[in-house]
Amino acid sequence: MPEPIAPSFTGAALDNLGVHLHDGVGTLRVWSRNASSVELVVFDATDLDWETAQAPLERRPGGVWEITTDLLQAGTRYALRVNGPHGPGNIFNPETLLLDPYARGLAQGDGYEEWRSVVITDGFDWGDVRKPQTSLDRTVIYEGHLKGITKRHPDVTPALHGTYAGLAHPAMIEYYKSLGITAIELLPVHAFVTEPRLLERGLTNYWGYNTLNFFTPHNAYASEAARKGGPEAVITEFKGMVKLLHEAGIEVILDVVYNHTSEEGIGGPRSSFRGIDNALYYRQQADGAYIDTTGVGNTVNTATDAAARLVLDSLRYWANEMQIDGFRFDLAAALGRNAQHEFDPEHPLLVAIREDEALQGVKIIAEPWDVGLGGWQTGNFGAGWSEWNDRYRDRVRNFWLSDIDYARRASAPVGIGGFANRLAGSANTYSEERGPLASINFVTAHDGFTLNDLVSYDVKHNEANGENNHDGADMNRSFNHGVEGPTDDPVIDTARRKAMRNLLGTLLLSAGIPMLTAGDEFGRTQRGNNNAYCQDSPLTWLNWDHEPWQKDLQAHVSLLTRLRVENPALRPARYARLGEHVPGASVMDWFDQNGDTMEVEQWNDPRNRTLQYVSSSVPENAAANRILLIVHGTEAPIDVRLPESVEGATGFVQLWSSADERPTVDEKVYEPGAVLPIEGTSMRLFEVIGDTP
């Protein structure tokens, strides 16, 4: 097999961009192919408006400009001035002070655009702590906002509320471990800013999808003590957070936004790329008009060597210097667009992210779409990538919510076949080569209704965002169970709680990688706001004062994550093949409510929304294991006969039931052929005991 050809952007010409200290001086390298001059500007350490020195950079091959000078020392505040030709695509302005795209530290002055780059010296004592390297099949992701998770936690030191240090506080680590999650996926922590339009409305960009710099941790998430200590202290606090989480066996995954920057459309802020080489850093038409596939005004042009290399270098920095375990790529389809702006699953950048030696062992997760033409690419990323599976999300929501809503007025619109496919690993979406672990299964995420709101609201309520409720998704596949929002009706509340248990049970018992949204484990609400990107308030901060039903729901999640660990049959790494022995797969046998093998016509019959399936692991790194799961998807109760044709099975021991308000232990052994009454819209999980064939 021939050696892969290295992409052009990994060549030596683009090595060592940014500042590198050596021999008492610093070397700064900046890429700008179209510039006619680049100048280094140095500022006073405390007055960021006071220029103390200037020095020109010299042009080098490959569009790189370089200077070696003793002006650059640890802690130096600096900026760039860049001049060049005018014309379509070029908007140079030598009066504008620009950030170094590779700056590893930032300092902010008084104004919105008063940012300066800061020279950083890398270094941290990691001791004997190493990355947990949790296998994909054992991974359970907890997606949340760094500030929101701890901002109101009563056991976290107040000075650490909403900070890097707070996220790794002993009280939080104890909680993560009790919940059974293995990785925390953080909404963006790269340095970001709030859009001027939000500032005008008195709001803020809470989520952080508006990146200012790709190498610097967001300053506002550091403790006050670290912020006063400067950029180096902020980095140290960030690394300390990672170290403590790693000591506890918990991985850190970052949601990264390389598809666009905070410079917005033409006429927006000019902080870095736009002033350094606008024509090549951003996707444009021939007349200089931006091609926007991200919905925020600009799209980074990863068909350009320098832009692709910047993404790769940023990932290398976070994965190695900051010891990050994985990345979730926001609007990843935008990164895979070629020079013709079409998505290519073998785009050199996507391949490099997967194959780069410095990124081996790092989890790579795509949000597999953007808003451009041909932007929906679920299932189309290459081997080695996992993807947010929106098809899973939609089918699971439909089955437990919108189908039930529809059935109350008529009858269930579809059968159980599509749901079963998602439960079993989405083989109709991902290739055999990629397998079920290509699927990041989720029911909710930061974007959209919370789990509680999903079962409590039929429509969004985003008035607080100041956009006349026009923002956010209109199609939510939610079901309020009869009343919009909070209610005192005990029947409705009971139905809502069971719906949440069904959704969580499906998520944590499905083949694939489950992603739980922070707070869903105890039923948090955003009062119907399904687009709370600009709400930095108690609306979005997790409330840790829980009612009894919330503690019960959390107990279900802890039990389900434990059962997932204990039962390899629930987490296959590969798809089974009929008649073949595939180590790491799970062989699945499907039965109807009578315990008979499912017939072809039953799969899509709307009258048949009950199934049983036996999943049998094919041992690779664990003992053989078998489970039986019963799914009943109508509100009328039903009697189910346990299958008698499961080879070697002598009985079934119940492990979990969504019908229980609080998990109960049932050690009774049910014999094959036993008839069990099953509550409406519910699930029951059993361990199959007996001789494994």
Side-chain angles (χ1 to χ4, degrees):
M1 185 174 180
E3 288 290 323
I5 298 174
S8 57
F9 60 81
T10 60
L14 294 174
D15 284 352
N16 298 317
L17 293 176
V19 173
H20 294 270
L21 300 175
H22 56 96
D23 306 318
V25 297
T27 295
L28 168 65
R29 286 167 53 83
V30 178
W31 178 87
S32 179
R33 186 176 299 165
N34 288 315
S36 59
S37 67
V38 179
E39 182 181 50
L40 166 68
V41 184
V42 177
F43 296 87
D44 180 74
T46 56
D47 185 349
L48 296 184
D49 291 325
W50 180 10
E51 297 181 18
T52 59
Q54 303 85 26
L57 278 68
E58 296 182 0
R59 186 186 291 273
R60 295 286 187 262
V64 172
W65 298 76
E66 182 178 304
I67 184 175
T68 297
T69 173
D70 59 7
L71 293 172
L72 295 169
Q73 301 290 330
T76 297
R77 274 64 171 159
Y78 70 101
L80 305 170
R81 285 197 176 103
V82 184
N83 201 1
H86 292 276
N90 291 318
I91 45 177
F92 292 103
N93 184 341
E95 300 304 313
T96 304
L97 294 167
L98 303 169
L99 291 175
D100 174 4
Y102 279 73
R104 298 184 180 184
L106 296 179
Q108 185 177 15
D110 294 331
Y112 176 78
E113 297 180 65
E114 293 298 314
W115 291 91
R116 304 291 181 259
S117 304
V118 180
V119 179
I120 296 296
T121 55
D122 293 327
F124 182 79
D125 182 8
W126 293 96
D128 296 328
V129 177
R130 299 292 180 266
K131 293 183 178 183
Q133 296 186 319
T134 307
S135 62
L136 286 175
D137 69 296
R138 290 178 174 269
T139 295
V140 178
I141 297 172
Y142 189 68
E143 190 222 23
H145 190 282
L146 186 136
K147 178 178 181 179
I149 290 175
T150 65
K151 179 63 178 176
R152 305 174 76 185
H153 199 291
D155 296 329
V156 172
T157 307
L160 302 183
H161 279 163
T163 68
Y164 299 121
L167 192 77
H169 187 278
M172 297 308 306
I173 288 176
E174 181 182 357
Y175 178 75
Y176 307 142
K177 296 179 76 171
S178 72
L179 198 60
I181 59 101
T182 69
I184 297 177
E185 181 177 305
L186 297 173
L187 269 64
V189 297
H190 288 173
F192 64 87
V193 293
T194 293
E195 297 89 331
R197 63 178 178 82
L198 289 178
L199 293 173
E200 291 171 1
R201 299 206 304 266
L203 298 172
T204 185
N205 187 320
Y206 177 63
W207 286 351
Y209 292 89
N210 200 44
T211 310
L212 179 69
N213 175 273
F214 295 121
F215 289 82
T216 307
H218 191 57
N219 184 70
Y221 293 159
S223 63
E224 182 179 2
R227 295 197 305 272
K228 288 181 177 178
E232 290 268 16
V234 171
I235 292 172
T236 297
E237 182 174 313
F238 184 95
K239 291 178 178 179
M241 170 194 75
V242 175
K243 181 178 180 179
L244 288 170
L245 290 170
H246 283 178
E247 281 182 328
I250 298 168
E251 295 185 313
V252 182
I253 298 172
L254 299 187
D255 192 336
V256 287
V257 190
Y258 295 113
N259 57 79
H260 73 278
T261 76
S262 60
E263 291 185 309
E264 304 184 29
I266 294 293
R270 183 199 308 260
S271 57
S272 188
F273 290 175
R274 180 168 291 143
I276 292 174
D277 202 325
N278 179 73
L280 293 174
Y281 267 122
Y282 293 121
R283 294 186 181 275
Q284 300 173 39
Q285 298 175 1
D287 63 357
Y290 278 6
I291 296 172
D292 179 14
T293 72
T294 65
V296 293
N298 68 65
T299 305
V300 174
N301 187 5
T302 52
T304 301
D305 281 355
R309 179 60 178 269
L310 180 138
V311 173
L312 192 63
D313 284 345
S314 173
L315 293 170
R316 289 167 169 172
Y317 175 73
W318 288 95
N320 294 288
E321 181 62 34
M322 308 293 262
Q323 288 288 288
I324 293 302
D325 303 279
F327 302 95
R328 179 269 191 187
F329 294 83
D330 179 64
L331 301 181
L335 302 181
R337 291 183 179 271
N338 58 25
Q340 291 73 46
H341 314 298
E342 299 168 340
F343 178 76
D344 177 4
E346 295 301 309
H347 187 289
L349 176 58
L350 300 184
V351 173
I353 291 170
R354 180 182 70 206
E355 298 182 353
D356 190 79
E357 290 185 3
L359 298 177
Q360 293 309 295
V362 171
K363 293 174 172 65
I364 52 174
I365 301 168
E367 182 184 35
W369 52 79
D370 64 16
V371 301
L373 187 66
W376 188 71
Q377 295 294 333
T378 303
N380 294 334
F381 279 69
W385 283 83
S386 297
E387 303 174 20
W388 274 28
N389 189 348
D390 56 320
R391 289 178 170 180
Y392 177 96
R393 173 200 63 199
D394 294 349
R395 177 63 72 174
V396 171
R397 288 186 180 190
N398 281 348
F399 185 80
W400 290 118
L401 298 175
S402 54
D403 287 359
I404 303 302
D405 181 21
Y406 189 90
R408 286 189 178 185
R409 298 188 298 273
S411 60
V414 297
I416 203 165
F419 175 84
N421 182 281
R422 299 301 164 195
L423 194 67
S426 298
N428 64 341
T429 301
Y430 301 103
S431 66
E432 182 177 308
E433 176 190 20
R434 298 180 68 190
L437 298 179
S439 178
I440 301 294
N441 297 332
F442 67 107
V443 176
T444 68
H446 66 276
D447 186 1
F449 278 146
T450 66
L451 184 70
N452 192 346
D453 291 354
L454 199 63
V455 304
S456 304
Y457 294 90
D458 278 354
V459 296
K460 65 187 181 184
H461 296 270
N462 298 356
E463 290 81 5
N465 296 353
E467 300 177 41
N468 298 314
N469 208 34
H470 293 155
D471 62 304
D474 293 314
M475 174 62 76
N476 296 287
R477 296 176 166 85
S478 60
F479 178 32
N480 68 16
H481 291 83
V483 173
E484 188 74 353
T487 179
D488 294 328
D489 188 322
V491 174
I492 292 176
D493 273 342
T494 297
R496 287 175 174 177
R497 291 196 297 270
K498 186 169 60 171
M500 284 191 277
R501 295 193 295 271
N502 285 329
L503 292 164
L504 289 167
T506 302
L507 174 67
L508 292 167
L509 300 179
S510 293
I513 302 171
M515 185 185 80
L516 176 69
T517 306
D520 277 355
E521 70 273 20
F522 50 75
R524 67 177 288 254
T525 179
Q526 290 179 169
R527 300 198 294 274
N529 190 322
N530 76 348
N531 189 37
Y533 76 102
C534 57
Q535 300 295 326
D536 185 358
S537 71
L539 181 73
T540 51
W541 305 335
L542 300 196
N543 183 352
W544 294 95
D545 183 13
H546 298 157
E547 298 178 20
W549 73 265
Q550 293 179 290
K551 296 176 181 178
D552 292 343
L553 188 64
Q554 183 180 320
H556 276 278
V557 173
S558 296
L559 173 59
L560 287 163
T561 56
R562 178 170 63 80
L563 293 174
R564 188 175 180 87
V565 170
E566 295 173 352
N567 292 276
L570 292 169
R571 42 185 177 82
R574 300 178 182 89
Y575 294 129
R577 291 192 295 270
L578 187 63
E580 295 186 35
H581 181 84
V582 182
S586 287
V587 177
M588 297 177 183
D589 297 300
W590 305 87
F591 305 93
D592 63 17
Q593 68 191 60
N594 298 313
D596 299 324
T597 299
M598 288 278 284
E599 300 291 342
V600 173
E601 61 272 12
Q602 290 179 288
W603 286 108
N604 297 313
D605 185 346
R607 296 168 298 179
N608 180 50
R609 288 172 60 86
T610 305
L611 66 74
Q612 307 180 71
Y613 91 93
V614 172
S615 179
S616 306
S617 69
V618 180
E620 184 174 31
N621 299 314
N625 167 245
R626 288 190 291 176
I627 60 93
L628 165 70
L629 182 66
I630 298 175
V631 176
H632 177 48
T634 63
E635 290 193 290
I638 194 172
D639 287 339
V640 170
R641 184 182 299 275
L642 298 178
E644 298 180 86
S645 58
V646 179
E647 186 177 355
T650 59
F652 305 90
V653 178
Q654 182 172 301
L655 302 176
W656 174 78
S657 171
S658 70
D660 295 337
E661 285 282 356
R662 184 169 182 84
T664 57
V665 177
D666 181 0
E667 297 182 351
K668 179 180 177 181
V669 177
Y670 296 88
E671 296 182 354
V675 176
L676 276 62
I678 303 298
E679 186 174 318
T681 54
S682 66
M683 306 172 70
R684 292 176 73 171
L685 178 70
F686 300 81
E687 179 186 6
V688 181
I689 59 175
D691 296 331
T692 304

